[in-house]
Coordinates of all heavy atoms in Angstrom, one line a residue:
M1 N 70.3 5.1 110.3 CA 70.8 6.2 111.0 C 69.9 6.9 112.0 O 68.7 7.1 111.7 CB 71.2 7.3 109.9 CG 72.5 8.1 110.3 SD 72.8 9.4 109.1 CE 73.0 8.5 107.6
A2 N 70.3 7.2 113.1 CA 69.4 7.7 114.2 C 69.1 9.2 113.8 O 70.0 9.9 113.3 CB 70.0 7.6 115.5
D3 N 67.9 9.6 114.2 CA 67.6 11.0 114.0 C 68.3 11.8 115.0 O 68.4 11.5 116.2 CB 66.0 11.1 114.2 CG 65.3 10.9 112.9 OD1 65.9 10.2 112.0 OD2 64.1 11.3 112.8
I4 N 68.7 13.0 114.6 CA 69.2 14.1 115.5 C 68.4 15.3 115.3 O 67.7 15.5 114.3 CB 70.7 14.4 115.1 CG1 70.8 14.8 113.6 CG2 71.6 13.1 115.4 CD1 72.0 15.6 113.3
T5 N 68.6 16.1 116.3 CA 67.9 17.5 116.2 C 69.0 18.5 116.3 O 69.8 18.5 117.2 CB 66.9 17.7 117.3 OG1 65.8 16.7 117.1 CG2 66.3 19.1 117.2
K6 N 69.1 19.4 115.3 CA 70.0 20.5 115.4 C 69.3 21.9 115.4 O 68.4 22.1 114.8 CB 71.0 20.5 114.2 CG 71.9 19.4 114.2 CD 73.1 19.5 113.2 CE 74.1 20.5 113.7 NZ 75.2 20.4 112.7
N7 N 69.9 22.8 116.2 CA 69.3 24.1 116.3 C 70.1 25.2 115.5 O 71.4 25.2 115.6 CB 69.3 24.6 117.8 CG 68.3 23.6 118.5 OD1 67.1 23.6 118.2 ND2 68.9 22.9 119.5
Y8 N 69.4 26.1 114.9 CA 70.0 27.1 114.1 C 69.3 28.5 114.5 O 68.3 28.4 115.0 CB 69.8 27.0 112.7 CG 70.4 25.6 112.1 CD1 69.6 24.5 112.1 CD2 71.7 25.5 111.6 CE1 70.1 23.2 111.7 CE2 72.2 24.3 111.2 CZ 71.4 23.2 111.2 OH 71.9 22.1 110.7
Q9 N 70.1 29.6 114.2 CA 69.5 30.9 114.4 C 69.3 31.6 113.0 O 70.2 31.6 112.2 CB 70.5 31.7 115.2 CG 70.3 31.7 116.7 CD 69.1 32.4 117.2 OE1 68.9 33.5 116.9 NE2 68.2 31.7 117.9
V10 N 68.1 31.9 112.7 CA 67.7 32.6 111.4 C 67.3 34.0 111.6 O 66.6 34.4 112.5 CB 66.6 31.8 110.7 CG1 66.1 32.5 109.5 CG2 67.0 30.4 110.4
E11 N 68.0 34.9 110.7 CA 67.8 36.3 110.8 C 66.7 36.7 109.8 O 66.6 36.2 108.7 CB 69.1 37.0 110.3 CG 69.8 37.6 111.4 CD 71.1 38.1 110.8 OE1 71.3 38.2 109.5 OE2 72.0 38.5 111.6
G12 N 65.7 37.6 110.3 CA 64.8 38.2 109.3 C 63.4 37.7 109.4 O 62.6 38.2 108.7
M13 N 63.1 36.6 110.1 CA 61.7 36.1 110.2 C 60.9 37.0 111.1 O 61.4 37.4 112.2 CB 61.7 34.8 110.8 CG 62.3 33.6 109.9 SD 61.9 32.0 110.6 CE 62.8 32.0 112.1
T14 N 59.7 37.5 110.6 CA 59.0 38.5 111.4 C 57.5 38.1 111.7 O 56.9 38.6 112.5 CB 58.9 39.8 110.6 OG1 58.4 39.6 109.3 CG2 60.2 40.5 110.5
C15 N 57.1 37.0 111.0 CA 55.7 36.6 111.3 C 55.5 35.0 111.0 O 56.5 34.4 110.6 CB 54.7 37.4 110.5 SG 54.9 37.0 108.7
A16 N 54.3 34.6 111.1 CA 53.9 33.2 110.9 C 54.2 32.8 109.5 O 54.6 31.6 109.2 CB 52.5 32.9 111.3
H17 N 54.0 33.7 108.5 CA 54.3 33.4 107.2 C 55.8 33.1 106.9 O 56.2 32.2 106.2 CB 53.9 34.5 106.3 CG 54.2 34.3 104.8 ND1 55.3 34.9 104.2 CD2 53.5 33.5 103.9 CE1 55.2 34.4 102.9 NE2 54.2 33.6 102.7
C18 N 56.7 33.9 107.6 CA 58.1 33.6 107.5 C 58.5 32.3 108.0 O 59.2 31.5 107.5 CB 58.9 34.7 108.3 SG 58.6 36.4 107.7
E19 N 57.9 31.9 109.2 CA 58.2 30.7 109.7 C 57.8 29.5 108.9 O 58.5 28.5 108.6 CB 57.3 30.5 111.0 CG 57.7 31.4 112.2 CD 56.7 31.4 113.3 OE1 55.7 30.8 113.2 OE2 57.0 32.1 114.3
K20 N 56.6 29.7 108.2 CA 56.1 28.7 107.3 C 57.1 28.5 106.0 O 57.4 27.5 105.6 CB 54.7 29.1 106.8 CG 54.0 28.1 106.0 CD 52.5 28.4 105.9 CE 51.7 27.3 105.0 NZ 51.8 27.6 103.6
S21 N 57.5 29.6 105.5 CA 58.4 29.6 104.3 C 59.7 28.8 104.7 O 60.1 28.0 103.9 CB 58.9 31.0 103.8 OG 57.7 31.7 103.6
V22 N 60.2 29.1 105.9 CA 61.5 28.5 106.3 C 61.2 27.0 106.6 O 62.0 26.1 106.1 CB 62.0 29.2 107.6 CG1 63.1 28.4 108.3 CG2 62.5 30.6 107.3
R23 N 60.1 26.7 107.2 CA 59.8 25.2 107.5 C 59.6 24.5 106.2 O 60.1 23.4 106.1 CB 58.4 25.2 108.3 CG 58.6 25.4 109.8 CD 57.5 24.8 110.6 NE 56.2 25.0 110.0 CZ 55.4 26.0 110.3 NH1 55.7 26.9 111.2 NH2 54.2 26.2 109.7
E24 N 59.0 25.1 105.2 CA 58.7 24.4 104.0 C 60.0 24.2 103.2 O 60.2 23.0 102.6 CB 57.7 25.1 103.1 CG 56.3 25.0 103.6 CD 55.3 25.7 102.7 OE1 55.6 26.5 101.9 OE2 54.1 25.6 103.0
E25 N 60.8 25.2 103.1 CA 62.1 25.0 102.4 C 63.0 23.9 103.0 O 63.6 23.1 102.3 CB 62.9 26.4 102.3 CG 62.3 27.3 101.2 CD 62.5 26.8 99.8 OE1 63.3 25.9 99.5 OE2 61.8 27.3 98.9
I26 N 63.1 24.1 104.3 CA 64.0 23.1 104.9 C 63.4 21.7 104.9 O 64.0 20.7 104.9 CB 64.2 23.5 106.5 CG1 65.1 24.8 106.5 CG2 65.0 22.4 107.2 CD1 65.3 25.4 107.9
G27 N 62.1 21.6 104.9 CA 61.4 20.4 104.9 C 61.5 19.6 103.7 O 61.3 18.4 103.6
E28 N 62.0 20.3 102.6 CA 62.2 19.6 101.3 C 63.6 18.8 101.2 O 63.8 18.0 100.3 CB 62.2 20.7 100.1 CG 60.8 21.1 99.9 CD 60.7 22.2 98.8 OE1 61.8 22.5 98.2 OE2 59.7 22.8 98.6
I29 N 64.4 19.1 102.3 CA 65.8 18.4 102.2 C 65.5 17.0 102.6 O 64.8 16.7 103.5 CB 66.7 19.2 103.3 CG1 66.9 20.6 102.9 CG2 68.0 18.4 103.4 CD1 67.6 21.4 104.0
L30 N 66.2 16.1 101.8 CA 66.2 14.7 102.1 C 66.6 14.4 103.4 O 67.7 14.8 103.8 CB 67.0 14.0 100.9 CG 66.8 12.5 100.9 CD1 65.5 12.1 100.3 CD2 67.9 11.9 100.1
G31 N 65.9 13.6 104.1 CA 66.3 13.2 105.5 C 65.7 14.0 106.6 O 65.7 13.6 107.8
V32 N 65.2 15.2 106.3 CA 64.5 16.0 107.4 C 63.2 15.5 107.7 O 62.3 15.3 106.8 CB 64.5 17.5 106.9 CG1 63.7 18.4 107.9 CG2 65.9 18.1 106.8
T33 N 62.9 15.2 109.0 CA 61.5 14.8 109.3 C 60.7 15.8 110.0 O 59.5 15.7 110.0 CB 61.7 13.5 110.2 OG1 62.6 13.9 111.4 CG2 62.4 12.4 109.5
D34 N 61.4 16.8 110.6 CA 60.5 17.8 111.3 C 61.3 19.1 111.4 O 62.6 19.1 111.6 CB 60.2 17.3 112.8 CG 59.2 18.3 113.4 OD1 58.2 18.6 112.9 OD2 59.5 18.6 114.6
V35 N 60.6 20.1 111.3 CA 61.2 21.6 111.4 C 60.4 22.4 112.3 O 59.1 22.5 112.1 CB 61.3 22.3 110.0 CG1 62.1 23.5 110.2 CG2 62.0 21.3 109.0
Q36 N 60.9 23.1 113.3 CA 60.2 24.0 114.1 C 61.0 25.4 113.9 O 62.2 25.4 113.8 CB 60.3 23.7 115.6 CG 59.8 22.3 116.0 CD 58.4 22.1 115.8 OE1 57.6 23.1 116.1 NE2 57.9 21.0 115.5
A37 N 60.1 26.4 113.7 CA 60.7 27.7 113.5 C 59.9 28.8 114.4 O 58.7 28.7 114.3 CB 60.6 28.1 112.1
S38 N 60.7 29.7 115.0 CA 60.1 30.8 115.8 C 60.6 32.1 115.3 O 61.7 32.4 115.3 CB 60.4 30.6 117.2 OG 60.1 31.8 117.9
S39 N 59.6 32.9 114.7 CA 60.0 34.2 114.3 C 60.3 35.1 115.5 O 61.1 36.0 115.3 CB 58.9 34.9 113.4 OG 57.7 35.0 114.2
E40 N 59.8 34.8 116.6 CA 60.1 35.7 117.8 C 61.5 35.6 118.2 O 62.3 36.6 118.5 CB 59.2 35.2 118.9 CG 58.5 36.4 119.6 CD 57.4 35.9 120.5 OE1 57.7 35.6 121.7 OE2 56.2 35.8 120.1
S41 N 62.0 34.3 118.4 CA 63.4 34.1 118.9 C 64.4 33.9 117.7 O 65.6 34.1 117.9 CB 63.4 32.9 119.8 OG 63.1 31.7 119.0
G42 N 63.9 33.6 116.5 CA 64.8 33.3 115.4 C 65.3 31.9 115.4 O 66.1 31.5 114.6
D43 N 64.8 31.1 116.5 CA 65.2 29.7 116.6 C 64.6 28.8 115.5 O 63.4 28.8 115.4 CB 64.9 29.1 118.0 CG 65.7 29.8 119.1 OD1 66.8 30.2 118.9 OD2 65.1 29.9 120.2
V44 N 65.4 27.9 115.0 CA 64.9 27.0 114.0 C 65.5 25.6 114.5 O 66.7 25.5 114.6 CB 65.3 27.3 112.6 CG1 64.9 26.1 111.7 CG2 64.6 28.6 112.1
S45 N 64.7 24.6 114.8 CA 65.2 23.4 115.1 C 64.9 22.3 114.0 O 63.7 22.3 113.6 CB 65.0 22.9 116.5 OG 63.7 22.5 116.6
V46 N 65.9 21.5 113.6 CA 65.6 20.6 112.5 C 65.9 19.2 112.9 O 67.0 19.0 113.5 CB 66.6 21.0 111.3 CG1 66.3 20.0 110.1 CG2 66.4 22.4 110.9
S47 N 65.0 18.4 112.7 CA 65.1 16.9 113.1 C 65.2 16.1 111.8 O 64.6 16.4 110.8 CB 64.0 16.5 113.9 OG 63.9 17.2 115.2
G48 N 66.0 15.0 112.0 CA 66.1 14.1 110.9 C 67.5 13.4 110.8 O 68.2 13.4 111.9
A49 N 67.9 13.0 109.8 CA 69.2 12.3 109.6 C 69.8 12.6 108.2 O 69.0 12.7 107.3 CB 69.0 10.8 109.8
G50 N 71.1 12.8 108.2 CA 71.8 12.9 107.0 C 71.8 14.2 106.3 O 72.3 14.4 105.2
F51 N 71.2 15.2 106.9 CA 71.3 16.6 106.3 C 72.5 17.4 106.8 O 73.1 17.0 107.9 CB 69.9 17.4 106.6 CG 69.8 17.6 108.1 CD1 70.3 18.7 108.8 CD2 69.0 16.8 108.9 CE1 70.0 18.9 110.1 CE2 68.8 16.9 110.2 CZ 69.3 18.0 110.9
T52 N 72.9 18.3 106.0 CA 74.2 19.1 106.4 C 73.8 20.6 106.7 O 72.8 21.0 106.3 CB 75.2 19.1 105.3 OG1 74.6 19.8 104.1 CG2 75.5 17.7 104.8
D53 N 74.7 21.2 107.5 CA 74.5 22.6 107.8 C 74.4 23.5 106.5 O 73.7 24.4 106.4 CB 75.7 23.1 108.6 CG 75.6 22.5 110.1 OD1 74.6 21.9 110.4 OD2 76.7 22.7 110.7
E54 N 75.2 23.1 105.5 CA 75.3 23.7 104.2 C 73.9 23.7 103.5 O 73.4 24.7 103.0 CB 76.3 23.2 103.3 CG 76.9 24.1 102.3 CD 78.0 23.5 101.6 OE1 77.9 22.3 101.1 OE2 79.1 24.1 101.6
Q55 N 73.2 22.5 103.6 CA 71.9 22.4 103.0 C 70.9 23.2 103.7 O 70.0 23.9 103.1 CB 71.5 20.9 103.1 CG 72.1 19.9 102.2 CD 71.7 18.6 102.3 OE1 71.8 18.0 103.5 NE2 71.1 17.9 101.3
I56 N 71.0 23.3 105.0 CA 70.1 24.2 105.8 C 70.3 25.6 105.4 O 69.4 26.4 105.3 CB 70.3 24.0 107.4 CG1 70.3 22.5 107.8 CG2 69.5 24.9 108.2 CD1 68.8 21.9 107.6
A57 N 71.6 26.0 105.4 CA 71.9 27.4 105.0 C 71.3 27.8 103.6 O 70.7 28.9 103.5 CB 73.4 27.7 105.0
E58 N 71.4 26.9 102.7 CA 71.0 27.1 101.3 C 69.4 27.2 101.4 O 68.8 28.1 100.7 CB 71.4 26.0 100.4 CG 72.8 26.1 99.8 CD 73.2 24.9 99.1 OE1 72.4 24.0 98.7 OE2 74.5 24.8 98.9
A59 N 68.7 26.3 102.1 CA 67.2 26.3 102.1 C 66.8 27.6 102.8 O 65.8 28.2 102.3 CB 66.8 25.1 102.9
V60 N 67.4 28.1 103.8 CA 67.1 29.3 104.5 C 67.2 30.4 103.5 O 66.3 31.3 103.6 CB 67.9 29.5 105.8 CG1 67.8 30.9 106.4 CG2 67.5 28.5 106.9
E61 N 68.3 30.5 102.8 CA 68.5 31.5 101.8 C 67.5 31.5 100.7 O 67.0 32.5 100.3 CB 69.9 31.5 101.3 CG 70.8 32.4 102.2 CD 72.3 32.2 101.8 OE1 72.6 32.1 100.6 OE2 73.1 32.1 102.8
E62 N 67.1 30.3 100.2 CA 66.0 30.2 99.2 C 64.7 30.7 99.8 O 63.9 31.3 98.9 CB 65.9 28.7 98.8 CG 66.5 28.4 97.5 CD 66.5 26.9 97.4 OE1 65.6 26.2 97.3 OE2 67.7 26.4 97.1
A63 N 64.5 30.6 101.1 CA 63.2 31.1 101.6 C 63.3 32.6 101.8 O 62.3 33.2 102.0 CB 63.0 30.4 103.0
G64 N 64.5 33.2 101.6 CA 64.7 34.7 101.7 C 65.3 35.1 103.1 O 65.2 36.3 103.3
Y65 N 65.8 34.2 103.9 CA 66.4 34.6 105.1 C 67.8 34.1 105.2 O 68.4 33.6 104.2 CB 65.6 34.0 106.3 CG 64.1 34.4 106.1 CD1 63.2 33.5 105.5 CD2 63.6 35.7 106.3 CE1 61.9 33.8 105.2 CE2 62.2 35.9 106.1 CZ 61.4 35.0 105.5 OH 60.2 35.3 105.2
K66 N 68.5 34.5 106.3 CA 69.9 34.1 106.5 C 70.1 33.4 107.8 O 69.5 33.8 108.8 CB 70.8 35.3 106.4 CG 71.1 35.8 105.1 CD 72.3 36.7 105.1 CE 73.6 35.9 105.1 NZ 74.8 36.6 104.8
L67 N 71.1 32.5 107.8 CA 71.5 31.9 109.1 C 72.4 32.9 109.7 O 73.2 33.5 109.1 CB 72.3 30.6 108.8 CG 71.6 29.3 108.6 CD1 72.7 28.1 108.7 CD2 70.5 29.0 109.6
K68 N 72.3 33.0 111.0 CA 73.2 33.8 111.8 C 74.6 33.2 112.0 O 74.6 32.0 112.1 CB 72.6 34.1 113.2 CG 71.8 35.5 113.2 CD 71.4 35.8 114.6 CE 70.3 36.8 114.6 NZ 69.5 36.9 115.8
Ligands
CU101 CU1 56.7 37.1 107.7

């Protein structure tokens, strides 16, 4: 399966620590190979294969934030 990159908007990230929490939680999802997160813009981009929007939403919530 080819890798894809999907972009999400996350509410509530305010600093580098928030970015790290989001990156770590999403990074645990099977198939995710890379996560970029910006607390400034709220942009989170996830690369990989086989992950679902629902899994991303759950991981973001586990980290303590919300998908927009
Ligand atoms: Cu923070």
Side-chain angles (χ1 to χ4, degrees):
M1 211 186 300
D3 274 17
I4 54 157
T5 299
K6 288 193 79 172
N7 296 300
Y8 301 90
Q9 272 285 309
V10 172
E11 258 173 10
M13 293 189 295
T14 55
C15 69
H17 177 261
C18 301
E19 294 169 356
K20 188 165 177 274
S21 306
V22 168
R23 282 204 313 270
E24 283 179 353
E25 283 293 340
I26 294 175
E28 286 175 12
I29 298 168
L30 192 70
V32 171
T33 56
D34 189 48
V35 187
Q36 304 290 329
S38 166
S39 59
E40 229 168 87
S41 61
D43 291 329
V44 172
S45 75
V46 183
S47 301
F51 60 88
T52 65
D53 291 348
E54 204 170 57
Q55 287 176 302
I56 302 296
E58 277 171 20
V60 166
E61 274 170 40
E62 257 167 57
Y65 309 96
K66 274 199 83 160
L67 276 193
K68 265 185 198 165

